[in-house]
Amino acid sequence: MKALSRRQWQFIALALLVFAALKVALIGWYLQQRQPAAPAVTSVSCSALQQGCPLPDGSVLRFVDGPRQRSPFTLTLNKHGGEAPTAEFSMRDMDMGFNRYRFVDAGGQWQAKVTLPACVTGSADWLLDLHQDGHIYRIAFRAG
C-alpha cells in the first residue's frame, strides 16, 4: 500500500476542518430554532365538576354529564379568547394513549364530547390538562 502524499494529507485536514465548521454551524442553527419552553401547568382544585370549575383566567369548565369511562360525556367551557381550547386526558404514572379533544363552538360556549378508555388496573383517577390561550390548567377527577 502506497503512503499518502503531503498534498493528500493537506486535503484530508482541510476536509475535516470544513466538516467541523459545518457541524458547529448546524448545531448553532438548531439551538436557535428550538421552540420556547412550554407554559407552566397550573393545578386547579375542583370538588363539584358538574356545577363548574372556576379557572384562574375567569373562565368556568363544567362537566355536563358525570365523567365516565367507555361512555361519552360532555364538557363545556365559557367562551374566552378566540382559539378553540383542547383537553388532554391522562393518568398518573400510566400511559393511556392519545386522549386529546378539541372544543368546538357551541354558540356562547365551547363544547367537547369526550370518551375515556377504561384502565386495565381498574383505576378511575384521571388528569385533565386544559390548554387555553397559552395556559395549561390541570384538574384531577374520578370517572365513574
Side-chain angles (χ1 to χ4, degrees):
M1 181 156 205
K2 186 174 148 181
L4 296 175
S5 70
R6 180 176 170 89
R7 186 135 179 96
Q8 288 171 322
W9 278 113
Q10 288 174 339
F11 177 75
I12 290 171
L14 179 63
L16 288 174
L17 285 173
V18 168
F19 177 73
L22 181 62
K23 188 173 180 180
V24 168
L26 286 173
I27 289 172
W29 174 81
Y30 171 76
L31 292 175
Q32 289 177 350
Q33 300 302 314
R34 288 192 333 193
Q35 296 294 331
V41 176
T42 304
S43 291
V44 176
S45 178
C46 185
S47 58
L49 299 172
Q50 289 181 282
Q51 278 91 33
C53 298
L55 302 175
D57 66 3
S59 58
V60 177
L61 176 71
R62 191 166 76 84
F63 288 65
V64 175
D65 318 308
R68 298 176 304 277
Q69 297 180 125
R70 296 179 302 183
S71 296
F73 62 94
T74 304
L75 295 175
T76 62
L77 181 68
N78 59 325
K79 282 243 178 152
H80 189 267
E83 192 163 324
T86 60
E88 189 171 334
F89 296 87
S90 62
M91 285 187 162
R92 266 187 189 49
D93 303 322
M94 194 172 308
D95 181 8
M96 295 304 292
F98 186 73
N99 292 296
R100 181 173 253 191
Y101 296 85
R102 180 169 297 283
F103 284 76
V104 295
D105 190 346
Q109 63 187 2
W110 296 109
Q111 184 175 327
K113 181 82 80 183
V114 175
T115 303
L116 296 175
C119 178
V120 295
T121 67
S123 176
D125 296 322
W126 285 89
L127 298 172
L128 173 129
D129 285 350
L130 178 69
H131 298 253
Q132 176 175 296
D133 295 331
H135 300 285
I136 301 174
Y137 303 112
R138 177 166 289 165
I139 300 167
F141 69 95
R142 278 188 71 76

